[in-house]
């Protein structure tokens, strides 16, 4: 079992590294690069589904902090695999309730899944585009409560968050 876990840890970490290397291609002008990104995220989503079948949510206790974060990133980018995102969200929610996963990452995954379902997000973590040089979020359920909800899960206020994306 210990060997399996160390192999799983290495696999998740490698998947996240590949994700980081390819992420720039997600919105590439080159359809071949976009397709390569989609292929990578679909393959990773499929594998995360298998991992969740075998282990449940890969928590930091199980695979270490970096690999747990890698699992979250893979779920976050499984945009065309709503079944995988929904399962990850469910399992991660249980892990957060048990104190073995972070509410901040869960909030990002919840928003991402809601947007992918065509629904309004809660925390304003998902950016729809840029207008007049400023990032614009996908619509939120309660925009007036967004910053209070963000604070509850350890996410900085929206204005600080989008300042990171602002086009200078």
């Amino acid at each position: 079992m210990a060997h399996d876990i160390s192999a799983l840890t290495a696999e998740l970490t490698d998947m996240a590294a590949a994700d980081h290397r390819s992420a720039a291609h997600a919105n590439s002008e080159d359809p071949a690069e976009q397709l390569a990104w989609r292929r990578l995220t679909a393959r990773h989503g499929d594998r995360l589904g298998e991992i969740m079948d075998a282990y449940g949510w890969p928590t930091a206790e199980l695979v270490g902090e970096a690999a747990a974060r890698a699992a979250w990133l893979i779920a976050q980018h499984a945009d065309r695999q709503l079944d995988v995102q929904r399962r990850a969200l469910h399992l991660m929610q249980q892990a957060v309730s048990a104190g073995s996963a972070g509410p901040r990452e869960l909030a990002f995954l919840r928003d991402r899944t809601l947007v992918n379902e065509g629904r309004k997000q809660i925390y304003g973590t998902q950016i729809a585009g840029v207008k007049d040089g400023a990032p614009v979020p996908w619509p939120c359920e309660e925009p007036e409560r967004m910053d209070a909800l963000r604070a509850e899960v350890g996410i900085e206020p929206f204005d600080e968050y989008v300042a990171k994306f602002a086009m200078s």
Side-chain angles (χ1 to χ4, degrees):
M1 181 76 173
H3 170 73
D4 290 353
I5 298 301
S6 65
L8 178 61
T9 298
E11 181 182 9
L12 285 166
T13 309
D14 289 348
M15 287 163 67
D19 184 289
H20 283 303
R21 284 192 304 272
S22 300
H25 301 309
N27 301 309
S28 170
E29 298 289 316
D30 180 353
E33 287 183 352
Q34 270 194 45
L35 193 59
W37 165 253
R38 287 181 178 210
R39 227 178 258 130
L40 177 84
T41 55
R43 196 169 60 242
H44 286 175
D46 289 346
R47 181 61 186 129
L48 182 62
E50 295 168 2
I51 290 167
M52 291 187 294
D53 286 343
Y55 301 95
W57 184 251
T59 61
E61 289 87 358
L62 183 68
V63 295
E65 202 63 54
R69 187 161 176 82
W72 166 78
L73 181 74
I74 292 158
Q76 189 79 351
H77 287 167
D79 290 319
R80 284 162 298 279
Q81 293 161 289
L82 262 174
D83 56 324
V84 171
Q85 275 188 338
R86 287 180 181 128
R87 271 187 63 219
L89 187 63
H90 176 73
L91 291 172
M92 199 175 179
Q93 174 71 63
Q94 292 175 332
V96 168
S97 297
S100 55
R104 185 179 197 277
E105 282 76 22
L106 180 66
F108 275 82
L109 186 57
R110 175 165 290 129
D111 274 0
R112 186 81 165 230
T113 305
L114 286 167
V115 167
N116 285 335
E117 291 173 341
R119 295 165 38 196
K120 291 182 177 180
Q121 62 179 327
I122 297 168
Y123 303 96
T125 64
Q126 302 304 299
I127 304 299
V130 175
K131 187 176 182 200
D132 301 326
V136 179
W138 285 96
C140 285
E141 281 182 17
E142 302 177 90
E144 68 288 347
R145 289 193 57 227
M146 184 176 66
D147 278 337
L149 293 168
R150 291 168 74 91
E152 286 173 18
V153 296
I155 302 174
E156 66 272 38
F158 184 76
D159 289 344
E160 286 177 32
Y161 177 68
V162 296
K164 296 180 195 173
F165 299 93
M167 306 296 146
S168 44

